[in-house]
Amino acid sequence: MEQNVFFLPHEGLKLAELAEFLGAELASSDYADVIVRSVAPISRARAGDVCYILSRRSRDELVTCEASAVICDKALADLVPPHIPVILSSNPHAAFAMAGGLFYPAALHPVVFSGESEIAPSAVIDPSAKLEKGVIVEPMAVIGAHAEIGEGTRIGAHSIIGPNVKIGRDCSIAAGASILCALLGNGVIIHNGARIGQDGFGYAPGPRGMIKIVQIGRVIIQDNVEIGANTTIDRGAMDDTVIGEGTKIDNQVQIGHNVQIGRHCAIVAQVGIAGSTKIGNGVQIGGQVGIKGHVTIGDGVQIAAKSGIMTDLAAGGQYGGIPARPLNDYLRDAAQLVSKTRLRGKKPGGKQND
């Protein structure tokens, strides 16, 4: 692949230094001074790159790998060709992620659209707003009355921070985002075009049609949450919508009013969560899952992509299907359906029907 002009390689780091940073072990000190500058997949890793493996399925790709180092578990070290240095880690995936962040720190946050290091002249900031030192406001951003923004936070171009919103320290609010009726902790990342704190979807049927129910709650986003591009999080109707510490939400996710999401959850693209749902800690939700309102999902639950959640889910379980059920049951049902379909498609004697 040609040089990536958007994210340039690191100036270089010795393998011994990288291993120390990762809390890992360099298998041979003979390679301590080898210089690495970037991360890459095994299939196209070249000199100066670091890659990683998680299983023996990578054996064939390693034969042609030209990386300057491979991160892997000790049990897989024998797969790595002898001319490639090995960094031993009990969690290679996490170590590789840390290496990527070390080499490309700018890629950990939304892309900066301007070179502003202070307040852009074209930004509109209400006189009553309070900005701590080191806050950067890019061109055409709007900050409302009595808003408060913590030190080290960057407000992207054309973003909107509503009245009375509070944003903690070292946050990144990307271009075009809007944040209303919300309180954000420290280290929060909001990507381009996200919509936080608009009113939720609430109506009461009346004799002349649908009557709008006021939405007077807030959105509470705790420390180190990351929210993807074009994701929407509605404010509460009368209670709060809450996103727990360390939770990561992908692009184009819809979170309804009064939803409560626990700590360190992972929610993949195009998930829809209806109002007043309660989600525990450490929950993982696959893409395009739909969750009915007013259900409770226990700690540590894993939900397969495209599932439909209609009832409460017990903690620690794996679920899939529409309606969702224990994953093994869903997979068995799917296998039986495929088998029956194939049988119906055959003529007597084993021939396929036209």
Side-chain angles (χ1 to χ4, degrees), residues 291-322:
I291 302 177
K292 175 183 176 292
H294 298 271
V295 300
T296 298
I297 297 173
D299 293 349
V301 163
Q302 296 178 329
I303 304 174
K306 293 182 177 291
S307 298
I309 311 304
M310 307 300 293
T311 59
D312 294 350
L313 299 181
Q318 295 180 312
Y319 302 88
I322 302 175

Side-chain angles (χ1 to χ4, degrees), residues 72-259:
C72 68
D73 187 270
K74 187 175 182 179
L76 300 177
D78 63 307
L79 295 180
V80 182
H83 66 280
I84 300 179
V86 174
I87 296 176
L88 300 172
S89 171
S90 59
N91 190 339
H93 197 181
F96 183 76
M98 291 173 62
L102 178 63
F103 290 137
Y104 297 98
L108 295 176
H109 298 270
V111 173
V112 174
F113 286 87
S114 75
E116 295 294 339
S117 57
E118 296 180 353
I119 310 271
S122 61
V124 179
I125 302 176
D126 189 277
S128 64
K130 298 179 180 179
L131 278 61
E132 292 186 343
K133 66 179 181 179
V135 171
I136 297 171
V137 183
E138 295 190 5
M140 306 301 292
V142 178
I143 299 177
H146 306 292
E148 298 181 15
I149 301 175
E151 180 180 358
T153 289
R154 188 176 196 112
I155 307 298
H158 291 271
S159 56
I160 297 174
I161 310 301
N164 299 301
V165 166
K166 292 180 173 58
I167 299 176
R169 294 173 175 167
D170 299 315
C171 296
S172 294
I173 311 301
S178 60
I179 302 176
L180 312 171
C181 305
L183 307 178
L184 278 62
N186 299 320
V188 173
I189 298 174
I190 309 291
H191 285 272
N192 305 81
R195 305 292 179 223
I196 312 297
Q198 62 285 332
D199 60 345
F201 190 78
Y203 296 87
R208 296 185 179 180
M210 305 296 284
I211 303 170
K212 190 176 181 69
I213 298 173
V214 295
Q215 307 287 300
I216 56 174
R218 307 171 297 180
V219 175
I220 310 296
I221 298 176
Q222 297 179 0
D223 293 352
N224 300 314
V225 168
E226 185 162 359
I227 296 169
N230 296 323
T231 281
T232 56
I233 302 178
D234 297 341
R235 66 178 182 261
M238 285 166 281
D239 297 319
D240 294 328
T241 302
V242 180
I243 312 297
E245 175 187 2
T247 285
K248 312 301 181 185
I249 300 172
D250 198 0
N251 304 332
Q252 297 182 322
V253 172
Q254 161 64 22
I255 298 174
H257 57 199
N258 304 333
V259 168

